[in-house]
Amino acid sequence: MSRYIEVALPIPVNELYTYKVPDGVLAENTIGKRVLVNFNNRYLTGVSVNLCNKEIQFEVKPILEILDEEPIFSDKLFQLTKWVSQYYFASWGEVLKAAMPPNFNLTSVKKIEIIKQPTNQEISEIQSFAPKRAKLLQILLKYNGNISIQSLQKELNSKNLSPQIEALSQRGLIAIHSEIQKQTETKVKAIKIADYLLDKEEEFNSVFLEIENKSNKQAQILSLLFLEFQKGKSFLLLNEVIKGLKTTYSVIAVLTKKKIVEIFEVKKEISKKAQINLSKDESKIELTEEQNKIIKKISEYIDKHSFSSHLLYGVTGSGKTLIYIELIRKVLNQNKQVLYLLPEISLTPQIVDRIRNFFGEEVAIIHSKISDNERNQIFTAILQNKYKIVMGVRSAIFSPLKNLGLIIVDEEHEPSYKQDNPSPRYNARDTSIVRGKIENCPVILGSATPSCESWYNASLGTHQIYQLNKRADGANLPNVEIVDLREAKKEKNLKGNFSKLLIEKIIERINQKEGTILFHNRRGFAPQLFCPDCGNVPMCENCDIALTYHKKSNKLVCHYCGYVTPAPKFCNVCGSDEMQEIGAGTERIEEELKQILEEKGINARIQRYDRDSTSQKNSSRRIIYDFMNGDIDVLIGTQMLSKGIDIGRVTLVGIINADMHLFFPDFRANERTFQLLTQVSGRAGRKSNSNGLVIIQTAHPGAYPIVFSAQNNIEKFFDKEFEMRGQLNYPPFNRLSKIEMQSMNLDELTSFSKIFFANLPNNQAGFQFIGPVFPNVPRLAKYYRQFIFVKSSKKIDKSGEKLNIILHNTLQKIESTIKNIRINIDIDSYQNM
């Protein structure tokens, strides 16, 4: 019987490590559970993945702690995470870590102990030749060594303290220790009536009468606690009592001092506060003939309990969600579970509300805005089979559902399904197909603008394809008018960024109390500031990119690394006070429209809908609610507007500049332009009693993504796009992957990139290596970057295994040359700039 197990650790090394199980523990009972281990003097949370039956010829460290009573990874999830690890070139431990909430990972924190008090002479001596080291020592003395290395890094504003710490250690002044830092559950204070009073009714009544005569506030508190106790609530949250009764902690403190009430800590539960519901009652809606046919066909595959993949293409407003709801109901009736993926749940609150209206508390929601504590609780509840439906962003693909009957990937074309950083750099859409095969359940990919990959796979018969060509509720697709910005400029029909036609139609809608959406996919006020005297453009200090000007906050912001600095009044090169704003973001569009309408004597409420205006929790939901109810006339936003907004009063969509994505140096630029224009246009005229209008402003009215979007002709778009991609061997015909190399030293990076490229195989059939090349933004967050692109034939390397072997072999050959270089392997890359 084996005493050893293999553990996957959350490090970028694709190896398993052998550990010994404690006495009295069966090794097989650890599989699928988290284990705490010592790895190179660090405490790490790993996952026990295999029994180790081979002969051990070396000393094996013991497991320090088994962290779970029951496995959190099933055999099927092991299969899925192993596939992600192999295909996307990541370690198994990194993938398993990504599949768990943050609270499930313990971390090792290094701390410093002062073992010898330095003399004043020693401090002075260190100060003379190593002032940074002396400052570090002074901080250690101040805290008596009770400070972590992470805290020291913050205090000294420096990431690399290793040489200084090592020098002080060698001098015999300090020692370094590791200790485990556990992610604890969030606790909150609760209040209840003392147990002895609840057991004695007469004594309680006597105490209550005494308090009532002395303090009305104290009596209110005691009365509330007693009434809630009678309803079955043994305690209330302290902050809710204080807020609800408009009292203070000092009032409650008197009761605790008298031992009438008790204050204690409880685990913070997931917030159940009622949110604004953005969905209408759909329980009596009758499905169309098109919808019923599709439901019947996919239901046949659900009944078979076997894998099948389906592409559901439906024009905007055609009722795809109602099809999902009927199929979910069928799966739940079979006592199975559903995984429903969305690209960004916080930006699609209407869809979430629609699903919850039908299925209530059976739905778990996982997205970026929930706290670590909430994520931890939801994960645990899913493990305990407390939810029938899990709705989530890409990481939800790893949800530990044990009885899956259906996977839905809504808006499957969205790039946000692809993770770029950190590893694993997986695509949740493609991973859902693999999970469907492992779980033996159907997978539905849905979109009004399918990705090129999914459309191509459907043409090959890999996916069953279903089409909804008409809008539900008898509504018509909007009319589309294209405004040539070049002609408008010549004829002086432009005011700022607005054509005369767009202004007229906006005013019409305001007068008719109808809603208008304006789409402009760039936030901030202006993409850059510019000095006309010397040509200077303020740049990010960490990245090779111009800073974006945000007028409201008067800040310059880097949208890549987050660097922020006050906007200058004077040019920092020549001192000129004539700094100008170049280009336009949503802030500028908002300001221009306000000025135009005010000049015409029109009072309208205009609201931005972008990352800046929706940064606070539930702000997105509040803006949509106000817009639905007519409290907002014009909504100006970025691509966030293209996701799941279904508002009947919207009859006009204006696209300020359709060319913004058209000329990106990315082979997917045409596809992205077509998708964005079509999706945003689809927000208009979604009710049968209103005619929608879309106005597209462009300087390139003949560009085929714009023409075919205006015509709503997806077939012709794909014909043209596939012709171009086929000639250049781009996806979906071949695989495109990216090797990204980073270094703070440009010379080291350039030298290493050449070595890497030289060690890739020459004349390998089915493979083409391109590079090394600098991207459009050569430096990001202080790191210089170079890319090597790999085009690989899907016919020759269908599974991607040959590419994996090539990359492994190349890395092994050049291992000794990798010093200060970061290497990121991105299979099926989506970010190529």
Side-chain angles (χ1 to χ4, degrees):
M1 186 178 292
S2 175
R3 293 293 315 282
Y4 304 98
I5 57 170
E6 292 183 323
V7 176
L9 294 175
I11 57 176
V13 180
N14 203 17
E15 289 183 22
L16 300 179
Y17 296 88
T18 304
Y19 285 88
K20 186 178 180 181
V21 296
D23 291 337
V25 174
L26 292 174
E28 53 264 38
N29 288 345
T30 69
I31 305 302
K33 297 179 181 179
R34 293 172 302 147
V35 292
L36 184 66
V37 298
N38 185 325
F39 178 78
N40 287 344
N41 296 319
R42 289 187 294 159
Y43 296 108
L44 294 179
T45 306
V47 177
S48 172
V49 294
N50 291 318
L51 294 176
C52 180
N53 294 312
K54 61 188 177 186
E55 191 175 338
I56 303 297
Q57 302 289 344
F58 49 88
E59 186 178 349
V60 178
K61 292 179 183 178
I63 292 170
L64 301 176
E65 190 176 346
I66 299 169
L67 300 171
D68 301 302
E69 292 293 324
E70 299 294 330
I72 63 172
F73 288 102
S74 63
D75 288 342
K76 289 179 179 179
L77 272 180
F78 270 162
Q79 288 181 56
L80 181 71
T81 51
K82 186 68 173 175
W83 177 85
V84 170
S85 164
Q86 292 171 342
Y87 184 80
Y88 289 106
F89 211 85
S91 78
W92 196 3
E94 287 177 307
V95 181
L96 291 168
K97 180 182 178 182
M100 295 185 287
N103 279 10
F104 275 61
N105 287 286
L106 306 184
T107 57
S108 172
V109 177
K110 288 188 175 179
K111 290 209 169 183
I112 297 170
E113 177 191 8
I114 296 172
I115 55 177
K116 178 188 171 187
Q117 195 77 13
T119 65
N120 290 334
Q121 184 179 345
E122 282 179 304
I123 294 174
S124 178
E125 183 184 331
I126 295 171
Q127 176 72 44
S128 64
F129 68 85
K132 186 176 180 180
R133 195 174 305 160
K135 188 175 180 182
L136 187 151
L137 183 58
Q138 287 168 349
I139 293 172
L140 289 173
L141 293 169
K142 175 184 174 182
Y143 290 97
N144 196 30
N146 294 318
I147 184 170
S148 68
I149 289 177
Q150 287 90 334
S151 298
L152 275 173
Q153 288 171 338
K154 288 181 182 177
E155 285 263 355
L156 293 168
N157 194 26
S158 175
K159 288 189 176 180
N160 188 16
L161 298 177
S162 299
Q164 312 298 340
I165 292 170
E166 181 63 27
L168 292 174
S169 176
Q170 288 176 1
R171 200 171 181 126
L173 297 174
I174 64 171
I176 306 166
H177 303 289
S178 287
E179 66 177 39
I180 302 167
Q181 184 181 65
K182 293 192 177 184
Q183 296 279 1
T184 56
E185 291 180 326
T186 305
K187 301 277 189 174
V188 289
K189 288 186 176 179
I191 182 172
K192 69 174 185 176
I193 298 172
D195 292 336
Y196 79 92
L197 279 177
L198 293 171
D199 294 336
K200 301 174 182 177
E201 188 176 342
E202 288 183 14
E203 190 170 344
F204 174 81
N205 290 335
S206 173
V207 167
F208 183 79
L209 287 172
E210 183 184 341
I211 287 173
E212 192 175 30
N213 291 330
K214 291 181 179 179
S215 170
N216 186 45
K217 280 288 183 186
Q218 291 178 25
Q220 282 183 334
I221 293 165
L222 199 56
S223 177
L224 175 65
L225 291 173
F226 185 72
L227 289 171
E228 293 300 319
F229 174 77
Q230 288 184 317
K231 294 176 185 176
K233 289 186 179 180
S234 58
F235 64 85
L236 296 178
L237 296 182
L238 182 62
N239 64 339
E240 290 181 0
V241 172
I242 291 171
K243 189 175 179 181
L245 295 178
K246 296 180 180 178
T247 187
T248 63
Y249 184 80
S250 59
V251 175
I252 294 172
V254 176
L255 292 172
T256 57
K257 193 174 182 181
K258 293 178 179 178
K259 296 185 179 180
I260 295 170
V261 301
E262 297 174 7
I263 293 175
F264 56 100
E265 288 189 333
V266 295
K267 183 175 74 173
K268 185 178 180 181
E269 298 292 337
I270 299 171
S271 175
K272 298 274 178 120
K273 285 184 180 178
Q275 292 181 312
I276 301 167
N277 194 311
L278 301 177
S279 178
K280 60 184 182 299
D281 181 11
E282 298 178 286
S283 59
K284 295 179 182 178
I285 290 179
E286 291 187 13
L287 298 173
T288 65
E289 187 179 344
E290 272 188 327
Q291 289 170 326
N292 279 317
K293 282 182 179 178
I294 293 170
I295 291 166
K296 183 179 179 182
K297 188 65 180 174
I298 298 179
S299 293
E300 293 173 7
Y301 291 94
I302 290 173
D303 291 337
K304 291 176 184 176
H305 305 299
S306 61
F307 168 74
S308 56
S309 59
H310 311 266
L311 176 61
L312 176 56
Y313 158 64
V315 297
T316 53
S318 57
K320 294 183 290 296
T321 306
L322 289 174
I323 290 176
Y324 300 150
I325 288 166
E326 288 303 313
L327 294 173
I328 291 170
R329 186 179 280 126
K330 182 175 184 64
V331 171
L332 265 54
N333 287 339
Q334 295 177 356
N335 203 28
K336 286 184 168 286
Q337 296 167 306
V338 176
L339 176 59
Y340 191 137
L341 297 184
L342 282 161
E344 221 166 339
I345 281 185
S346 60
L347 303 181
T348 51
Q350 277 186 296
I351 295 175
V352 174
D353 289 351
R354 291 174 75 182
I355 300 301
R356 274 190 158 161
N357 280 355
F358 278 94
F359 302 106
E361 295 301 314
E362 293 184 316
V363 185
I365 310 293
I366 302 172
H367 59 89
S368 59
K369 294 288 177 75
I370 62 175
S371 67
D372 288 348
N373 179 60
E374 289 174 317
R375 193 183 298 269
N376 183 33
Q377 289 185 52
I378 291 170
F379 186 88
T380 303
I382 295 169
L383 275 172
Q384 296 168 349
N385 280 326
K386 291 183 178 178
Y387 290 112
K388 293 291 183 69
I389 303 163
V390 172
M391 293 186 79
V393 292
R394 62 174 175 252
S395 62
I397 189 62
F398 300 115
S399 296
L401 293 160
K402 297 174 182 175
N403 194 17
L404 260 179
L406 178 66
I407 300 173
I408 297 167
V409 185
D410 203 6
E411 309 291 353
E412 64 85 26
H413 65 280
E414 276 290 331
S416 54
Y417 279 124
K418 177 70 165 72
Q419 175 152 307
D420 299 310
N421 276 306
S423 182
R425 297 171 178 86
Y426 65 99
N427 189 316
R429 178 198 65 206
D430 299 343
T431 304
S432 73
I433 299 294
V434 176
R435 183 161 192 185
K437 290 177 181 177
I438 292 169
E439 301 278 358
N440 278 321
C441 73
V443 179
I444 302 173
L445 311 178
S447 177
T449 53
S451 63
C452 282
E453 286 82 359
S454 295
W455 191 270
Y456 179 69
N457 285 333
S459 72
L460 296 177
T462 305
H463 305 317
Q464 300 282 334
I465 187 167
Y466 311 91
Q467 296 195 25
L468 289 166
N469 297 308
K470 297 177 182 177
R471 282 186 158 180
D473 193 32
N476 294 315
L477 289 168
N479 297 318
V480 180
E481 293 191 35
I482 296 178
V483 174
D484 188 335
L485 290 174
R486 296 168 301 181
E487 291 298 319
K489 190 174 183 179
K490 282 181 191 175
E491 296 171 7
K492 297 185 179 178
N493 283 333
L494 272 181
K495 183 148 189 168
N497 288 279
F498 290 85
S499 65
K500 182 181 178 182
L501 176 65
L502 183 53
I503 293 169
E504 288 175 358
K505 296 302 179 183
I506 291 171
I507 293 171
E508 268 184 29
R509 271 34 183 208
I510 292 170
N511 291 335
Q512 294 167 8
K513 306 296 182 185
E514 294 173 353
T516 296
I517 283 176
L518 297 180
F519 172 70
H520 188 68
N521 204 22
R522 181 174 284 152
R523 60 192 173 105
F525 188 83
Q528 61 192 50
L529 290 183
F530 169 76
C531 175
D533 291 346
C534 71
N536 173 49
V537 174
M539 304 288 286
C540 176
E541 66 174 25
N542 304 317
C543 312
D544 291 335
I545 194 75
L547 293 166
T548 300
Y549 176 49
H550 288 247
K551 189 173 183 178
K552 188 174 181 180
S553 60
N554 197 36
K555 296 277 176 42
L556 291 176
V557 180
C558 177
H559 291 168
Y560 283 86
C561 74
Y563 172 77
V564 179
T565 186
K569 293 180 180 179
F570 304 96
C571 176
N572 61 356
V573 174
C574 71
S576 170
D577 61 355
E578 297 292 328
M579 296 296 286
Q580 296 178 0
E581 301 107 3
I582 304 296
T586 47
E587 270 189 64
R588 186 172 210 148
I589 300 301
E590 179 187 23
E591 185 177 283
E592 281 185 1
L593 183 58
K594 281 180 179 177
Q595 288 175 352
I596 290 168
L597 295 177
E598 283 172 4
E599 287 171 8
K600 295 181 179 293
I602 296 169
N603 184 28
R605 184 177 171 193
I606 302 167
Q607 172 67 51
R608 277 186 299 115
Y609 189 69
D610 54 24
R611 294 284 179 193
D612 301 319
S613 63
T614 60
S615 57
Q616 293 183 346
K617 193 172 183 180
N618 292 324
S619 54
S620 171
R621 187 175 283 272
R622 168 56 66 182
I623 290 170
I624 296 299
Y625 181 78
D626 289 345
F627 190 41
M628 288 174 67
N629 289 299
D631 295 325
I632 295 170
D633 298 298
V634 182
L635 198 60
I636 301 171
T638 57
Q639 63 184 5
M640 291 166 57
L641 286 171
S642 68
K643 296 176 173 72
I645 293 178
D646 184 0
I647 299 174
R649 64 182 294 266
V650 175
T651 57
L652 175 64
V653 167
I655 295 165
I656 302 298
N657 187 350
D659 306 333
M660 291 187 66
H661 285 273
L662 201 54
F663 300 107
F664 269 36
D666 186 338
F667 75 92
R668 287 191 173 90
N670 287 332
E671 179 184 10
R672 192 76 186 120
T673 299
F674 177 84
Q675 288 168 342
L676 275 172
L677 296 184
T678 304
Q679 291 280 350
V680 174
S681 297
R683 304 309 111 195
R686 294 172 76 99
K687 298 301 170 191
S688 57
N689 59 357
S690 60
N691 294 317
L693 174 64
V694 178
I695 296 175
I696 300 176
Q697 298 185 157
T698 172
H700 300 84
Y704 71 86
I706 294 173
V707 171
F708 294 141
S709 174
Q711 295 173 356
N712 199 51
N713 196 329
I714 195 168
E715 288 86 357
K716 283 191 176 179
F717 169 75
F718 280 126
D719 288 345
K720 187 74 174 175
E721 187 69 4
F722 286 162
E723 180 185 348
M724 180 272 290
R725 294 201 191 182
Q727 291 171 356
L728 298 173
N729 294 322
Y730 277 130
F733 304 101
N734 290 291
R735 187 177 288 111
L736 179 71
S737 301
K738 179 182 71 181
I739 304 161
E740 180 178 355
M741 294 149 288
Q742 302 178 355
S743 175
M744 288 188 175
N745 186 304
L746 181 58
D747 292 334
E748 281 185 6
L749 173 66
T750 305
S751 175
F752 177 81
S753 299
K754 289 176 181 177
I755 293 170
F756 197 118
F757 189 81
N759 280 275
L760 289 165
N762 290 324
N763 302 318
Q764 179 86 27
F767 290 85
Q768 180 185 1
F769 303 101
I770 305 162
V773 295
F774 283 104
N776 277 8
V777 184
R779 189 174 62 110
L780 275 183
K782 298 184 178 180
Y783 279 84
Y784 293 98
R785 310 184 300 152
Q786 279 199 305
F787 296 165
I788 294 172
F789 292 103
V790 185
K791 289 182 180 178
S792 53
S793 167
K794 288 184 178 179
K795 290 180 181 178
I796 292 175
D797 188 20
K798 187 177 181 180
S799 68
E801 185 178 354
K802 290 183 180 178
L803 173 59
N804 206 288
I805 291 170
I806 288 170
L807 294 174
H808 270 296
N809 290 342
T810 304
L811 286 169
Q812 280 184 343
K813 281 193 279 184
I814 63 172
E815 188 175 6
S816 61
T817 65
I818 304 173
K819 292 179 181 177
N820 299 315
I821 307 292
R822 293 178 178 177
I823 302 173
N824 298 327
I825 308 292
D826 190 5
I827 306 298
D828 297 336
S829 175
Y830 262 64
Q831 290 291 338
N832 303 315
M833 294 185 294

